[in-house]
Amino acid sequence: MGGWAEHIGRRPRAILGRAWDADWYMLIAEHGYGRVLNWPGAVQSDLAFFPLYPALVRGLSALVPDVTSGTLGLLVSWSAALVAAGGIYAVGERLYGRRAATLLVLLWGLLPHSVVLTMAYTEPLLTAFAAWTLYALLTRRWLWAGGLAVLAGLSRPNGIAVVAAVLWVVGYEIVRGGARGRTLPERSGNPGTPSTPGTLGTPGNTAESGRPGNRRDPRLWAAAALAPAGWCGYVLWVGFRTGDPLGGYFAVQRGWTSTFDFGAGSARVVRDIVLRPAVLPLTTALLVVLAAVVLFVLFVLGRPPAALLVYTAVLVLITVGGSGFFESKPRFLLPAFPLLLPLALALTKARPRSAIVVIAALAGLSFGYGTYLLTLSPIAL
């Protein structure tokens, strides 16, 4: 990508660090919120962008003021991508073993739109927090799950999926603990039966203890209180800043022509793609979204842990049901790494040569298409 960018007279670091949404984030890091662009039919406010990523860049800028914000943004994104890969591996290894975990990370890193993981975008940051939150839920580390969900909620709008997963699992633990406490005596010294791997309605494949959570455990309640604080806090802050506490943030999103309409807007775009000539990024986005829906069905049929199911379901619902920026939907799905579990498990059963061919083909596709998106695509990523 770098060589081709130089060939066409563009600087690779500028493409990765200041293109499209990256430039909005860097301007927030440099000058704070307050930028508004008016276009025919759209009013684009930087309040649509969640604050954690630019805050990290701004904090690093205070430590190393001689380094440009774009470079620091790339440092944050690349570091987050590595942390995300570690979290994805941890989740996969805990549920299905090392081979499946390794393949899961490879598949995630070789998606057609995985070039976003090298840009000054927030998908790596959200994925990192999401993966380790899910791991914390699987291992019943409630305070870690709640705290990481706060950070996920400050990273991106679809960080609400992480919040939903924490609230579902913690809520289940509280309800289950109360119900069991009324009907079964507490037996000291017995850790209980481990949770069944992949059973819906349980926090996941946990080996430490299958005993229901104690509804009086303050860690459960603290996690439930913490989890939505980041996402709700920013949405309310935008609301108060715009004069509409409950609806202000969503009005900002409408200014970007981004709304949740249960897929009506997406259906119109799909109709246009099918009936009229469409640019390659739109056609590819349609294929990726369709593949994601198929993978979600396979994922559900595999009876995953509830934490992964709720998280992935909310991400897919937001992506498919949202209107606006259809070409960006594959990017919005990057944090939905559990969708790749059916493929990873299938590759564990394949012959090594077949698995190598699939991985190599994906690597070639990801490399070539990523270069096209950053240097030749007629529309924003």
Side-chain angles (χ1 to χ4, degrees), residues 142-160:
W142 308 124
L143 290 181
W144 276 105
L148 290 169
V150 174
L151 298 175
L154 289 169
S155 301
R156 285 188 53 77
N158 51 359
I160 189 66

Side-chain angles (χ1 to χ4, degrees), residues 5-365:
E6 293 284 0
H7 175 72
I8 63 175
R10 300 179 65 185
R11 294 187 299 124
R13 190 168 62 176
I15 295 175
L16 296 175
R18 300 293 306 216
W20 303 307
D21 286 4
D23 192 48
W24 284 89
Y25 282 115
M26 295 309 107
L27 289 172
I28 295 170
E30 294 164 358
H31 308 293
Y33 286 99
R35 185 185 185 209
V36 178
L37 296 181
N38 290 279
W39 304 93
V43 179
Q44 297 178 333
S45 167
D46 58 8
L47 293 173
F49 297 92
F50 275 52
L52 182 58
Y53 182 71
L56 292 173
V57 175
R58 190 181 186 98
L60 287 176
S61 296
L63 297 175
V64 281
D66 295 334
V67 181
T68 64
S69 58
T71 300
L72 293 175
L74 292 177
L75 177 62
V76 172
S77 294
W78 295 349
S79 300
L82 289 175
V83 175
I88 292 170
Y89 179 88
V91 171
E93 193 275 335
R94 180 161 191 82
L95 293 174
Y96 303 108
R98 294 181 179 178
R99 187 177 182 187
T102 301
L103 289 167
L104 181 62
V105 173
L106 284 173
L107 290 171
W108 177 71
L110 296 176
L111 290 170
H113 287 71
S114 61
V115 69
V116 171
L117 303 176
T118 69
M119 301 176 67
Y121 271 45
T122 53
E123 278 74 16
L125 194 64
L126 174 59
T127 307
F129 290 131
W132 286 107
T133 300
L134 294 175
Y135 182 78
L137 290 173
L138 292 174
T139 56
R140 306 169 71 85
R141 293 174 169 88
W142 308 124
L143 290 181
W144 276 105
L148 290 169
V150 174
L151 298 175
L154 289 169
S155 301
R156 285 188 53 77
N158 51 359
I160 189 66
V162 182
V163 177
V166 173
L167 292 179
W168 179 277
V169 174
V170 169
Y172 176 84
E173 286 292 322
I174 292 172
V175 172
R176 185 174 71 146
R180 294 286 180 88
R182 289 192 300 270
T183 58
L184 294 178
E186 184 70 21
R187 294 187 295 174
S188 61
N190 183 1
T193 304
S195 302
T196 304
T199 301
L200 295 183
T202 71
N205 181 16
T206 57
E208 286 81 357
S209 173
R211 174 180 294 172
N214 182 352
R215 67 186 307 173
R216 296 181 180 178
D217 186 345
R219 293 170 297 180
L220 287 171
W221 294 97
L226 278 173
W231 193 89
C232 292
Y234 182 69
V235 168
L236 288 173
W237 179 80
V238 172
F240 280 107
R241 178 161 174 157
T242 58
D244 182 2
L246 297 181
Y249 174 77
F250 303 102
V252 169
Q253 286 286 4
R254 287 194 297 272
W256 282 80
T257 69
S258 180
T259 60
F260 186 84
D261 59 3
F262 297 94
S266 295
R268 290 191 292 269
V269 175
V270 170
R271 179 195 61 194
D272 291 341
I273 294 173
V274 172
L275 297 180
R276 305 171 188 171
V279 294
L280 180 59
L282 282 176
T283 304
T284 305
L286 174 58
L287 294 176
V288 170
V289 171
L290 291 175
V293 173
V294 173
L295 287 173
F296 181 70
V297 173
L298 296 175
F299 172 68
V300 172
L301 293 176
R303 301 184 67 196
L308 274 68
L309 177 62
V310 173
Y311 167 72
T312 308
V314 174
L315 282 179
V316 172
L317 178 63
I318 291 173
T319 302
V320 175
S323 178
F325 299 99
F326 191 88
E327 66 277 8
S328 298
K329 289 186 182 292
R331 171 166 66 86
F332 300 157
L333 287 168
L334 276 176
F337 67 89
L339 288 176
L340 302 171
L341 278 170
L343 293 179
L345 293 174
L347 287 176
T348 62
K349 302 174 183 177
R351 295 179 178 179
R353 181 178 299 178
S354 300
I356 291 172
V357 169
V358 171
I359 294 298
L362 285 174
L365 172 63

